[in-house]
């Protein structure tokens, strides 16, 4: 019988028809689920999971059919079954293409590649398991149990690895590939996935070749017949190749573990409470600051939680997002593993923006029960809202507003999530991450401040609001909403919040992964000087997000550096005219147009733009920048030329030091030049020189610059080891601050200074 005849014959099998119907149903259902509807990774992943279950059924069914016909080479049965299983993927491919044709094309070529590598790879492995398992006995029960046991063993191995090892990505021969964090939207077919599928295909062929050694071709059952030499050599050769491919898994990136990370993050720092593994590119100064930052945040959290974890915490500090994504699967997402007392961070920044948040997860783990040390229902259903809420509440970072302030703004904008349904897995993940984290953090902080840590500890342990507080979640959320409603909110704060929170979740974005890939590629090209290549990628990005102004403004800035000012102005104007943008986005476009006008010598046009942006109070950093620009416009032409290049990002860090330094020597009494030179010195880690310079900054700066000058002086005192003086400087800023953000920032630095000089109180 020909291959076509075998395929037509297969369609008569009940098992084949049933599995095909299942694939059709799943393909259609996914067409109505955001993110899973288009032909991309998510569709391939779900179709692959189904394929992992159905492909062994199809293969064992066709093996029985061949047995009924009088026997056949198991390899031919495998080939025909694989064709049928590949055909099973046609519905999901067609449905995905139709969705993109009706809606908007994302990246169908890469989507098809994901289907082939993820779902198709599962089909190869499942077909091999089906042929091998189907040959164990005439009765269907034994093959079914054997195949089920094998799949369960693979599943247990994958889940055990997720629990035991830091990697949050999964490479499983029968179940496919999961990339890691859902918040890391950049996702493309890469060499790791290809390498893994080469290995898994070799493994499938090895299973088939080994089974073929023991299968009688007439009965298609396992026997004790004499082993054919050539078949034996083929199986051994495949086994060796499979072993070598698996052995290369660490180098290829699909078979990593904690040891792999520790080998690459080979610089180790040990403190009282930490073992810190850092990428070896870290400098000695950076390593010292990382140690001190960890211990300071530990002390703060110990006070907040009323105690610390048992034993030392392992911290892994990666060089950048790319290294972290490759080694453990979370690029832009920081990760904590409370059951292992372990955190994973990006970069050597000081102070690190999220070390306190991630450590809070570990501290919270000491009050939790269960294998994951987080609040759960039925062990595996994690209450993500409470998990992230306590971390935000403990960290309590301020960026313009407090967490409560941001929450108040969301309520005013009608963007506040309903935590009655948001404090569960599905509800939390379906929200924009910034809204979900902020609302949960405000709610949990309210609970801790109002009812104390002891009651919250009961909630975190049992995931039961009634048991912890004697009240329902609905009642507690209503009470918290009333508290939020009473918080003050200015119109300026509302503008800032609108820009921050009017962003869709990954499930609501158009072609989320394609857009993220284009953004990453486009911005990288602009940064490397390939302006035209960057424009090509970012123009494609704009088609997926017509209301997004960031790509247009990035193009404008890159063109300005190449002195292509007419083109730069055209892109900035496009950003200003874009429909559906926030007021802040429009203001950023006006700011860019003002900078271009300044470069062209249109001083009054530039002044009007900068004044308009300043009146909008987009953020404290924006206010400082506009105030500095407006000050600079009042300077003589020679001074203005240097300040213009610096304040429009036309100078490299090295050039800024040289030109601002020369300017300060020529005009030692200019407070703006002195202030900007101080900041350039600070950015270059020249703290002693910067501290000497900051003392020459006079009192004539605009308020936003004057406040930052005082904060800068405090940071420089801290950086040069004058901790008592730094504490006094920050205390003075906090006492005078009108902004809650500035006040809390100053208090945090004051506490850090006090801790550094050995006074934990």
């Amino acid at each position: 019988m020909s291959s076509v005849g075998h395929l037509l014959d297969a369609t008569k099998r009940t098992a084949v028809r049933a599995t095909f119907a299942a694939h059709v149903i799943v393909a259609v259902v996914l067409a109505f689920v955001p993110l899973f509807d288009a032909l991309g990774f998510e569709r391939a992943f779900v179709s692959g999971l189904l394929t992992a279950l159905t492909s062994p059924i199809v293969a064992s069914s066709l093996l029985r059919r061949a047995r009924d016909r009088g026997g056949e080479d198991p390899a031919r049965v495998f080939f025909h079954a694989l064709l049928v299983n590949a055909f099973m993927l046609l519905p999901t491919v067609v449905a995905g293409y139709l969705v993109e044709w009706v809606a908007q094309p994302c990246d169908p070529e890469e989507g098809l590649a994901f289907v082939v590598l993820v779902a198709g790879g599962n089909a190869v492995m499942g077909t091999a398991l089906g042929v091998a398992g189907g040959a164990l006995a005439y009765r269907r029960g034994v093959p079914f149990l054997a195949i089920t046991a094998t799949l369960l063993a693979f599943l247990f191995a994958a889940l055990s690895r997720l629990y035991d090892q830091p990697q949050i990505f999964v490479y499983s021969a029968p179940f496919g590939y999961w990339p890691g964090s859902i918040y890391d939207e950049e996702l493309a077919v890469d060499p790791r996935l290809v390498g893994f599928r080469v290995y898994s295909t070799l493994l499938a062929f090895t299973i088939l070749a080994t089974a073929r050694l023991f299968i009688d071709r007439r009965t298609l059952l396992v026997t004790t017949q004499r082993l054919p030499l050539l078949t034996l050599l083929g199986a051994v050769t495949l086994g060796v190749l499979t072993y070598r491919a698996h052995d290369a898994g660490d180098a290829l990136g699909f078979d990593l573990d904690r040891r792999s990370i520790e080998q690459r993050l080979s610089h180790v720092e040990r403190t009282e409470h930490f073992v810190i593994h850092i990428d070896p590119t870290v400098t000695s100064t950076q390593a010292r600051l990382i140690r001190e930052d960890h211990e300071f945040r530990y002390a703060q959290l110990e006070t907040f939680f009323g105690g610390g974890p048992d034993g030392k915490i392992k911290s892994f500090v990666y060089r950048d997002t790319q290294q972290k994504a490759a080694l453990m699967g979370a690029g832009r997402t920081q990760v904590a593993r409370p059951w292992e007392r372990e955190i994973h961070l990006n970069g050597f920044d000081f102070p690190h923006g999220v070390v306190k948040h991630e450590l809070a997860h570990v501290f919270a783990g000491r009050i939790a029960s269960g294998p994951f040390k987080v609040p759960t229902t039925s062990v595996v259903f994690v209450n993500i809202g409470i998990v992230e809420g306590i971390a935000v509440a403990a960290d309590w970072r301020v960026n313009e507003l407090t967490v409560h302030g941001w929450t108040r703004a969301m309520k005013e904008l009608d963007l506040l999530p309903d935590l009655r349904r948001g404090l569960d897995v599905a509800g939390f993940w379906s929200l924009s991450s910034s809204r979900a984290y902020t609302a949960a953090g405000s709610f949990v902080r309210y609970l801790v401040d109002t009812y104390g840590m002891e009651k919250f500890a009961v909630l975190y342990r049992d995931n039961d609001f009634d048991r912890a507080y004697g009240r329902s979640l609905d009642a507690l959320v209503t009470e918290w909403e009333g508290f939020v409603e009473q918080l003050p909110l200015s119109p300026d704060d509302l503008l800032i919040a609108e820009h921050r929170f009017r962003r869709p979740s990954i499930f609501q974005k158009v072609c989320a992964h394609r857009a993220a890939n284009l953004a990453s590629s486009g911005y990288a090209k602009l940064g490397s000087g390939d302006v035209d290549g960057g424009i090509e990628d970012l123009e494609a990005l704009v088609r997926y997000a017509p209301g997004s102004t960031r790509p247009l403004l990035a193009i404008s800035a890159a063109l300005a550096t190449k002195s292509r000012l007419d083109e730069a102005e055209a892109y900035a104007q496009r950003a200003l005219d874009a429909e559906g943008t926030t007021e802040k986005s429009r203001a950023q476009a006006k700011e860019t147009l003002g900078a271009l006008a300044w470069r062209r010598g249109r001083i009054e046009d530039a002044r009007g733009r900068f004044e308009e942006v300043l009146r909008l109070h987009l953020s404290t950093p924006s206010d400082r920048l506009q105030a500095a620009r407006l000050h600079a416009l009042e300077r003589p032409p020679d001074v203005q030329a240097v300040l213009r290049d610096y304040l429009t990002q036309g100078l490299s860090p090295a050039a800024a030091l040289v030109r601002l330094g020369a300017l300060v020597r020529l005009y030692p009494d200019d407070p703006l030049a002195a202030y900007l030179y101080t900041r350039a010195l600070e950015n270059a880690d020249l703290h002693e020189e910067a501290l000497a310079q900051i003392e020459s900054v006079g009192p004539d700066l605009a308020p936003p610059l004057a406040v930052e000058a005082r904060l800068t002086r405090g940071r420089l005192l801290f950086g040069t080891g004058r901790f008592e003086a730094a504490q006094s400087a920050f205390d003075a800023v906090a006492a005078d601050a009108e902004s809650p953000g500035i006040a809390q920032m100053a208090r945090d630095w004051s506490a850090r200074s006090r801790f550094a000089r050995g006074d934990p109180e």
Side-chain angles (χ1 to χ4, degrees):
M1 187 182 297
S2 67
S3 296
V4 174
H6 277 287
L7 293 177
L8 293 175
D9 185 61
T11 61
K12 301 175 183 178
R13 306 289 293 178
T14 302
V16 173
R17 292 181 177 181
T19 54
F20 184 73
H23 278 274
V24 170
I25 291 171
V26 168
V28 172
V29 169
L30 291 180
F32 297 94
V33 180
L35 192 63
F36 293 79
D37 52 354
L39 189 62
F41 167 75
E42 285 76 16
R43 174 175 282 273
F45 175 73
V46 173
S47 300
L49 291 181
L50 180 60
T51 300
L53 303 177
T54 61
S55 56
I57 296 173
V58 169
S60 59
S61 176
L62 295 190
L63 187 79
R64 287 195 302 273
R65 177 61 174 163
R67 182 184 299 137
D68 294 340
R69 291 198 307 266
E72 193 169 4
D73 186 341
R76 284 180 59 82
V77 176
F78 170 84
F79 173 71
H80 295 140
L82 184 58
L83 287 178
V84 174
N85 284 324
F87 182 78
M88 296 286 179
L89 298 176
L90 188 60
T92 200
V93 171
V94 171
Y97 270 120
L98 285 175
V99 168
E100 296 200 22
W101 179 68
V102 171
Q104 180 168 353
C106 293
D107 194 346
E109 293 82 8
E110 183 150 63
L112 182 60
F114 270 125
V115 171
V116 171
L117 289 170
V118 178
N122 292 358
V124 175
M125 188 65 184
T127 303
L129 291 176
V131 170
L136 291 177
Y138 276 110
R139 298 181 61 183
R140 299 182 182 183
V142 174
F144 173 79
L145 290 175
I147 294 169
T148 300
T150 302
L151 291 176
L152 288 175
F154 273 105
L155 180 61
F156 178 78
L159 295 178
S160 296
R161 193 177 184 88
L162 280 174
Y163 186 80
D164 293 334
Q165 302 299 330
Q167 286 72 25
I168 63 172
F169 52 67
V170 174
Y171 291 89
S172 173
F175 295 108
Y177 159 69
W178 177 256
S181 171
I182 192 173
Y183 288 133
D184 288 343
E185 297 177 12
E186 294 173 34
L187 182 60
V189 171
D190 60 22
R192 293 189 305 170
L193 178 56
V194 174
F196 166 70
R197 273 317 184 192
V198 170
Y199 155 70
S200 69
T201 300
L202 286 171
L203 177 60
F205 287 163
T206 300
I207 292 171
L208 175 65
T210 303
R212 191 164 174 254
L213 281 172
F214 300 98
I215 295 176
D216 181 275
R217 297 192 179 189
R218 184 179 60 81
T219 64
L220 292 178
L221 292 171
V222 172
T223 68
T224 57
Q225 63 185 6
R226 198 174 84 176
L227 303 180
L229 181 59
L230 289 178
T231 307
L232 176 61
L233 288 175
V236 171
T237 301
L238 282 169
V240 171
L241 291 174
T242 301
Y243 175 79
R244 294 296 298 272
H246 181 272
D247 198 43
D250 185 279
L252 293 174
F254 66 80
D255 187 26
L256 304 177
D257 55 18
R258 183 177 286 102
R259 184 176 59 85
S260 306
I261 296 176
E262 291 177 353
Q263 286 177 343
R264 290 161 175 83
L265 305 185
S266 55
H267 183 102
V268 180
E269 296 282 343
R270 300 180 187 276
T271 71
E272 180 182 357
H273 299 108
F274 294 93
V275 177
I276 310 173
H277 297 263
I278 314 174
D279 182 81
T281 58
V282 70
T283 66
S284 58
T285 299
Q286 289 171 328
R288 174 180 59 80
L289 293 175
I290 289 170
R291 289 197 313 268
E292 294 173 358
D293 199 19
H294 277 61
E295 285 293 342
F296 171 59
R297 296 309 188 189
Y298 186 100
Q300 288 184 314
L301 292 171
E302 193 172 34
T303 299
F304 180 81
F305 283 97
D310 297 326
K312 289 193 174 186
I313 299 172
K314 275 195 173 185
S315 177
F316 296 88
V317 184
Y318 301 80
R319 180 179 62 251
D320 50 34
T321 59
Q322 291 78 18
Q323 183 187 48
K324 186 156 164 285
L327 290 178
M328 61 86 57
R332 303 185 188 281
T333 307
Q334 322 289 339
V335 172
R337 293 163 50 84
W339 65 96
E340 294 281 2
R341 298 195 305 276
E342 185 174 288
I343 62 174
H344 296 259
L345 308 171
N346 296 339
F348 308 147
D349 298 340
F350 176 83
H352 198 285
V354 297
V355 64
K356 189 177 181 183
H357 179 104
E358 300 307 326
L359 284 176
H361 287 303
V362 178
F363 273 77
R366 65 182 285 273
I367 61 177
S369 58
F372 296 101
K373 301 300 180 184
V374 291
T376 61
T377 300
S378 301
V379 180
V380 296
F381 298 105
V382 179
N383 192 330
I384 301 293
I386 296 300
V387 171
E388 294 300 342
I390 186 58
V392 173
D395 185 5
W396 209 242
R397 200 182 329 161
V398 170
N399 181 11
E400 305 297 330
L401 304 176
T402 66
V403 178
H404 285 328
W406 289 119
T407 305
R408 172 70 180 89
M410 281 195 292
K411 189 170 182 62
E412 185 69 21
L413 293 168
D414 199 26
L415 295 174
L416 183 63
D418 184 358
L419 293 185
R420 295 168 184 84
R421 65 176 185 83
L423 293 180
D424 59 57
V425 177
F428 191 85
W429 288 120
S430 65
L431 301 172
S432 169
S433 59
S434 58
R435 298 181 209 169
Y437 275 63
T438 302
S442 173
F443 176 61
V444 170
R445 183 68 179 231
Y446 174 78
L447 292 179
V448 173
D449 288 347
T450 305
Y451 298 103
M453 180 58 70
E454 289 185 4
K455 288 190 175 182
F456 179 79
V458 175
L459 170 65
Y460 207 77
R461 185 191 66 221
D462 299 332
N463 194 29
D464 189 324
F465 285 91
D466 287 302
R467 182 178 300 172
Y469 295 98
R471 305 178 64 191
S472 68
L473 171 61
D474 178 73
L476 290 167
V477 170
T478 300
E479 180 182 310
W480 163 72
E481 288 174 338
F483 162 77
V484 169
E485 186 70 41
Q486 301 304 313
L487 296 173
L489 181 70
S490 72
D492 292 338
D493 294 339
L494 199 61
L495 280 176
I496 300 171
E498 181 181 16
H499 182 74
R500 176 177 178 178
F501 291 120
R502 286 199 187 279
R503 295 184 298 173
S505 77
I506 184 174
F507 294 99
Q508 299 168 321
K509 294 179 181 178
V510 177
C511 303
H513 298 308
R514 174 63 173 163
N517 293 339
L518 285 169
S520 176
S521 172
Y523 294 132
K525 287 177 181 178
L526 291 184
S528 68
D530 180 10
V531 175
D532 292 323
I535 289 174
E536 182 179 356
D537 286 344
L538 295 181
E539 283 282 18
L541 172 62
V542 170
R543 289 196 288 272
Y544 296 118
S548 176
T549 59
R550 185 190 171 204
L552 300 174
L553 296 178
I555 292 172
S556 176
L559 288 168
T561 63
K562 299 292 185 181
S563 297
R564 295 162 60 177
L565 300 184
D566 289 339
E567 295 172 83
E569 195 163 347
Y571 272 100
Q573 190 64 47
R574 275 181 60 187
L576 181 62
D577 296 338
E579 296 182 0
T581 62
T582 63
E583 187 65 30
K584 185 170 184 178
S585 294
R586 288 177 52 80
Q588 289 170 335
K590 294 175 183 177
E591 181 182 0
T592 301
L593 287 167
L596 289 169
W598 194 6
R599 291 180 66 127
R600 289 176 176 271
R602 302 200 304 263
I603 302 301
E604 291 309 312
D605 185 7
R607 190 192 313 279
R609 297 285 191 186
F610 297 149
E611 287 176 345
E612 186 177 4
V613 175
L614 182 60
R615 284 194 297 271
L616 288 174
H617 179 54
L618 302 183
S619 66
T620 301
S622 174
D623 286 356
R624 288 199 302 267
L625 180 58
Q626 310 320 317
R629 287 168 167 172
L630 289 168
H631 269 305
L633 289 173
E634 305 298 330
R635 268 46 180 183
D638 59 333
V639 177
Q640 190 177 141
V642 177
L643 298 182
R644 179 199 63 210
D645 290 345
Y646 181 70
L647 292 172
T648 58
Q649 298 180 335
L651 295 178
S652 67
L657 286 174
V658 172
R659 295 188 64 187
L660 287 172
L663 188 65
V664 165
R665 287 188 289 274
L666 284 173
Y667 298 92
D669 297 327
D670 189 318
L672 179 61
Y675 165 76
L676 294 177
Y677 185 43
T678 299
R679 295 301 306 275
L681 289 167
E682 182 187 24
N683 291 336
D685 291 328
L686 299 172
H687 291 167
E688 287 287 357
E689 295 85 347
L691 184 60
Q693 185 63 48
I694 195 70
E695 302 298 348
S696 66
V697 175
D700 298 329
L701 290 174
L705 299 176
V707 171
E708 181 59 25
R710 295 175 68 190
L711 285 170
T712 301
R713 180 174 178 273
R715 292 195 302 269
L716 293 172
L717 288 167
F718 181 93
T720 54
R722 300 167 173 86
F723 301 126
E724 187 170 358
Q727 181 183 340
S728 297
F730 288 123
D731 285 342
V733 173
D736 298 339
E738 298 179 1
S739 160
I742 295 296
Q744 184 159 322
M745 183 190 306
R747 285 194 292 268
D748 190 63
W749 271 103
S750 174
R752 185 184 291 275
S753 303
R754 188 169 59 245
F755 182 82
R757 66 186 182 87
D759 180 6
E761 298 299 323

